[in-house]
Amino acid sequence: MSSFQDHNFNGQKVLVRVDFNVPLNDKLEVTDDNRIRAAIPTIKKIISDGGKLILMSHLGRPKGGPEDKFSLKHIIPTLAGLLGNDTTVLFANDCAGEQALLTANMMRNGEVLLLENLRFYKEEEKGDAAFAEKLARLGDVWVNDAFGTAHRAHASTAVIAQYFPKQNRMFGLLMEAEVSSAEKVMHQSEKPFVAIIGGAKVSDKILIIENLLERATDIIIGGGMAYTFMKAEGGEIGTSLCEEERLETALAILKKAEEKGVNIHLPSDSVIANKFAADAETSMAPSNNITPGWMGLDIGANACSQFANVIMHSKTILWNGPMGVFEMHNFQHGTRCIAEAVAAATQKGAFSLVGGGDSVSAVNQFGFADKVSYVSTGGGAMLEYFEGKTLPGIAAVKD
Ligand code: AMP
């Protein structure tokens, strides 16, 4: 693996896998350009070196053939806007055919070629080697900058690596930042290390909790998943979210934590509501003694200070999942408190990594994104990394 920063791309055809899987509205306009922005530093370095930049990505979930609503041509205005007038952005309406090859071979230094959606070929997700080889013909160097798909062994994210010698495959700047933040938390965490895990379901987070039991000092459990733990310990949780089939798992996690000396923190109190709605009647209750017919939709004031105290004493912080139904105004206080505490601890010198779709939206929504050490762009990939899995997109570059 080579260092992207030290490589001079002048005159080279640089094939970069990016994650431009952005949301489009009815008029097929980009409504959130964060993923495109995240790739700009990598793109600019290659252009300013005088490289010929060939961008490949997927967009949405096409059924395996061309579909206009999933065409990457819709993102050209956004990409061109972010790159400015000096950069020419070309488009190939097929990613693996002869037109792409011809255009790539005719490009001038500093130009950008965006290829059509990789997932218009079923071979992409199948990790088909012949398809990967076709893509590989387009570039002298392969750069993986798509952390969002690093957990997939697809043709363009992993299989393609074999067609480039080791010195010609590398991480882009986004991928490098993602991987080094994740490695810092997973392998070089300064203690105390707190993991804050929230969200709806225990079942989605079992593997990550189990892996963190080997590494963390403290694990804070909030969100809907906390009530399965409360019930498993004999609490009354009313109509709160509960996974009956996970009660045993919850008890096993608590037991294992005790054996390992990891402190598990559950919310002592909750904001409760008489229905799952923004205009519900609300009240406060101990999380293990919720009024029948009512449900816990956010952590309560005591839980906020209890959790904030743990966070403030930590040196490494990993946060995945909201503390409550933060999409509704009445139930966002807990998630906001945690965001504030993570920001304050970061300011005191802790390293904080926020990863996973909903906690990332919460941190962005509340304006804390630049007050934490790192906000990951890859939800599923980050989760799998912290479950302890090897991500094919990382292994393909490193091994
Ligand atoms: P996840 O995708 O598993 O991280 O879950 C995120 C979702 O969990 C968000 O949409 C939240 O609204 C939801 N959530 C958080 N706390 C609760 C709760 N107490 N009851 C129901 N849903 C919740």
PDB file of all heavy atoms in Angstrom, residues 48-63:
ATOM      1  N   SER A  48      -4.685  18.639  -8.876  1.00  0.00           N
ATOM      2  CA  SER A  48      -3.598  19.629  -8.805  1.00  0.00           C
ATOM      3  C   SER A  48      -2.245  18.986  -9.100  1.00  0.00           C
ATOM      4  O   SER A  48      -1.324  19.672  -9.545  1.00  0.00           O
ATOM      5  CB  SER A  48      -3.601  20.385  -7.476  1.00  0.00           C
ATOM      6  OG  SER A  48      -3.248  19.509  -6.460  1.00  0.00           O
ATOM      7  N   ASP A  49      -2.139  17.689  -8.926  1.00  0.00           N
ATOM      8  CA  ASP A  49      -0.913  16.992  -9.354  1.00  0.00           C
ATOM      9  C   ASP A  49      -0.839  16.883 -10.880  1.00  0.00           C
ATOM     10  O   ASP A  49       0.209  16.551 -11.433  1.00  0.00           O
ATOM     11  CB  ASP A  49      -0.906  15.547  -8.815  1.00  0.00           C
ATOM     12  CG  ASP A  49      -0.340  15.459  -7.404  1.00  0.00           C
ATOM     13  OD1 ASP A  49      -0.025  16.510  -6.823  1.00  0.00           O
ATOM     14  OD2 ASP A  49      -0.218  14.326  -6.893  1.00  0.00           O
ATOM     15  N   GLY A  50      -1.980  17.068 -11.568  1.00  0.00           N
ATOM     16  CA  GLY A  50      -2.014  16.872 -13.016  1.00  0.00           C
ATOM     17  C   GLY A  50      -2.378  15.442 -13.388  1.00  0.00           C
ATOM     18  O   GLY A  50      -1.988  14.942 -14.450  1.00  0.00           O
ATOM     19  N   GLY A  51      -3.148  14.787 -12.506  1.00  0.00           N
ATOM     20  CA  GLY A  51      -3.607  13.428 -12.821  1.00  0.00           C
ATOM     21  C   GLY A  51      -4.860  13.476 -13.682  1.00  0.00           C
ATOM     22  O   GLY A  51      -5.527  14.506 -13.791  1.00  0.00           O
ATOM     23  N   LYS A  52      -5.163  12.350 -14.333  1.00  0.00           N
ATOM     24  CA  LYS A  52      -6.416  12.210 -15.096  1.00  0.00           C
ATOM     25  C   LYS A  52      -7.340  11.403 -14.192  1.00  0.00           C
ATOM     26  O   LYS A  52      -7.116  10.205 -13.984  1.00  0.00           O
ATOM     27  CB  LYS A  52      -6.156  11.456 -16.401  1.00  0.00           C
ATOM     28  CG  LYS A  52      -5.137  12.155 -17.273  1.00  0.00           C
ATOM     29  CD  LYS A  52      -4.657  11.237 -18.377  1.00  0.00           C
ATOM     30  CE  LYS A  52      -3.542  11.921 -19.166  1.00  0.00           C
ATOM     31  NZ  LYS A  52      -2.994  11.069 -20.204  1.00  0.00           N
ATOM     32  N   LEU A  53      -8.357  12.073 -13.666  1.00  0.00           N
ATOM     33  CA  LEU A  53      -9.150  11.476 -12.595  1.00  0.00           C
ATOM     34  C   LEU A  53     -10.397  10.790 -13.129  1.00  0.00           C
ATOM     35  O   LEU A  53     -11.238  11.428 -13.785  1.00  0.00           O
ATOM     36  CB  LEU A  53      -9.524  12.577 -11.600  1.00  0.00           C
ATOM     37  CG  LEU A  53     -10.495  12.218 -10.496  1.00  0.00           C
ATOM     38  CD1 LEU A  53      -9.947  11.092  -9.635  1.00  0.00           C
ATOM     39  CD2 LEU A  53     -10.752  13.438  -9.625  1.00  0.00           C
ATOM     40  N   ILE A  54     -10.532   9.518 -12.839  1.00  0.00           N
ATOM     41  CA  ILE A  54     -11.709   8.761 -13.285  1.00  0.00           C
ATOM     42  C   ILE A  54     -12.484   8.328 -12.042  1.00  0.00           C
ATOM     43  O   ILE A  54     -11.964   7.561 -11.219  1.00  0.00           O
ATOM     44  CB  ILE A  54     -11.272   7.540 -14.125  1.00  0.00           C
ATOM     45  CG1 ILE A  54     -10.446   8.041 -15.314  1.00  0.00           C
ATOM     46  CG2 ILE A  54     -12.472   6.743 -14.589  1.00  0.00           C
ATOM     47  CD1 ILE A  54      -9.470   7.039 -15.842  1.00  0.00           C
ATOM     48  N   LEU A  55     -13.695   8.853 -11.898  1.00  0.00           N
ATOM     49  CA  LEU A  55     -14.486   8.599 -10.694  1.00  0.00           C
ATOM     50  C   LEU A  55     -15.520   7.516 -10.955  1.00  0.00           C
ATOM     51  O   LEU A  55     -16.231   7.566 -11.963  1.00  0.00           O
ATOM     52  CB  LEU A  55     -15.215   9.871 -10.262  1.00  0.00           C
ATOM     53  CG  LEU A  55     -14.342  11.035  -9.791  1.00  0.00           C
ATOM     54  CD1 LEU A  55     -15.182  12.305  -9.685  1.00  0.00           C
ATOM     55  CD2 LEU A  55     -13.681  10.707  -8.451  1.00  0.00           C
ATOM     56  N   MET A  56     -15.602   6.564 -10.040  1.00  0.00           N
ATOM     57  CA  MET A  56     -16.650   5.545 -10.176  1.00  0.00           C
ATOM     58  C   MET A  56     -17.391   5.399  -8.854  1.00  0.00           C
ATOM     59  O   MET A  56     -16.801   5.494  -7.778  1.00  0.00           O
ATOM     60  CB  MET A  56     -16.074   4.211 -10.641  1.00  0.00           C
ATOM     61  CG  MET A  56     -14.941   3.672  -9.804  1.00  0.00           C
ATOM     62  SD  MET A  56     -14.383   2.074 -10.452  1.00  0.00           S
ATOM     63  CE  MET A  56     -13.016   1.740  -9.338  1.00  0.00           C
ATOM     64  N   SER A  57     -18.710   5.192  -8.953  1.00  0.00           N
ATOM     65  CA  SER A  57     -19.546   5.096  -7.756  1.00  0.00           C
ATOM     66  C   SER A  57     -20.809   4.306  -8.078  1.00  0.00           C
ATOM     67  O   SER A  57     -21.110   4.042  -9.234  1.00  0.00           O
ATOM     68  CB  SER A  57     -19.941   6.499  -7.290  1.00  0.00           C
ATOM     69  OG  SER A  57     -20.805   6.436  -6.175  1.00  0.00           O
ATOM     70  N   HIS A  58     -21.531   3.959  -7.018  1.00  0.00           N
ATOM     71  CA  HIS A  58     -22.890   3.463  -7.230  1.00  0.00           C
ATOM     72  C   HIS A  58     -23.849   4.572  -6.794  1.00  0.00           C
ATOM     73  O   HIS A  58     -23.429   5.536  -6.138  1.00  0.00           O
ATOM     74  CB  HIS A  58     -23.140   2.174  -6.439  1.00  0.00           C
ATOM     75  CG  HIS A  58     -23.277   2.384  -4.957  1.00  0.00           C
ATOM     76  ND1 HIS A  58     -22.202   2.670  -4.149  1.00  0.00           N
ATOM     77  CD2 HIS A  58     -24.367   2.381  -4.144  1.00  0.00           C
ATOM     78  CE1 HIS A  58     -22.617   2.801  -2.898  1.00  0.00           C
ATOM     79  NE2 HIS A  58     -23.926   2.644  -2.866  1.00  0.00           N
ATOM     80  N   LEU A  59     -25.110   4.452  -7.171  1.00  0.00           N
ATOM     81  CA  LEU A  59     -26.140   5.388  -6.737  1.00  0.00           C
ATOM     82  C   LEU A  59     -27.447   4.607  -6.622  1.00  0.00           C
ATOM     83  O   LEU A  59     -27.931   4.046  -7.606  1.00  0.00           O
ATOM     84  CB  LEU A  59     -26.288   6.531  -7.751  1.00  0.00           C
ATOM     85  CG  LEU A  59     -27.424   7.533  -7.482  1.00  0.00           C
ATOM     86  CD1 LEU A  59     -27.194   8.320  -6.193  1.00  0.00           C
ATOM     87  CD2 LEU A  59     -27.575   8.518  -8.639  1.00  0.00           C
ATOM     88  N   GLY A  60     -27.979   4.569  -5.409  1.00  0.00           N
ATOM     89  CA  GLY A  60     -29.259   3.899  -5.180  1.00  0.00           C
ATOM     90  C   GLY A  60     -29.179   2.395  -5.386  1.00  0.00           C
ATOM     91  O   GLY A  60     -28.102   1.798  -5.338  1.00  0.00           O
ATOM     92  N   ARG A  61     -30.340   1.817  -5.621  1.00  0.00           N
ATOM     93  CA  ARG A  61     -30.419   0.370  -5.772  1.00  0.00           C
ATOM     94  C   ARG A  61     -31.088  -0.009  -7.095  1.00  0.00           C
ATOM     95  O   ARG A  61     -32.215  -0.514  -7.112  1.00  0.00           O
ATOM     96  CB  ARG A  61     -31.218  -0.244  -4.622  1.00  0.00           C
ATOM     97  CG  ARG A  61     -30.530  -0.137  -3.291  1.00  0.00           C
ATOM     98  CD  ARG A  61     -31.398  -0.723  -2.183  1.00  0.00           C
ATOM     99  NE  ARG A  61     -30.701  -0.617  -0.909  1.00  0.00           N
ATOM    100  CZ  ARG A  61     -29.832  -1.498  -0.465  1.00  0.00           C
ATOM    101  NH1 ARG A  61     -29.552  -2.569  -1.167  1.00  0.00           N
ATOM    102  NH2 ARG A  61     -29.250  -1.326   0.708  1.00  0.00           N
ATOM    103  N   PRO A  62     -30.410   0.242  -8.225  1.00  0.00           N
ATOM    104  CA  PRO A  62     -30.997  -0.195  -9.498  1.00  0.00           C
ATOM    105  C   PRO A  62     -31.090  -1.712  -9.542  1.00  0.00           C
ATOM    106  O   PRO A  62     -30.401  -2.404  -8.783  1.00  0.00           O
ATOM    107  CB  PRO A  62     -30.004   0.334 -10.541  1.00  0.00           C
ATOM    108  CG  PRO A  62     -28.739   0.587  -9.814  1.00  0.00           C
ATOM    109  CD  PRO A  62     -29.083   0.848  -8.386  1.00  0.00           C
ATOM    110  N   LYS A  63     -31.947  -2.198 -10.442  1.00  0.00           N
ATOM    111  CA  LYS A  63     -32.200  -3.652 -10.451  1.00  0.00           C
ATOM    112  C   LYS A  63     -31.162  -4.429 -11.251  1.00  0.00           C
ATOM    113  O   LYS A  63     -31.319  -5.619 -11.494  1.00  0.00           O
ATOM    114  CB  LYS A  63     -33.601  -3.922 -10.974  1.00  0.00           C
ATOM    115  CG  LYS A  63     -34.654  -3.412 -10.013  1.00  0.00           C
ATOM    116  CD  LYS A  63     -36.063  -3.762 -10.462  1.00  0.00           C
ATOM    117  CE  LYS A  63     -37.093  -3.059  -9.587  1.00  0.00           C
ATOM    118  NZ  LYS A  63     -37.206  -1.610  -9.914  1.00  0.00           N
TER     119      LYS A  63
END
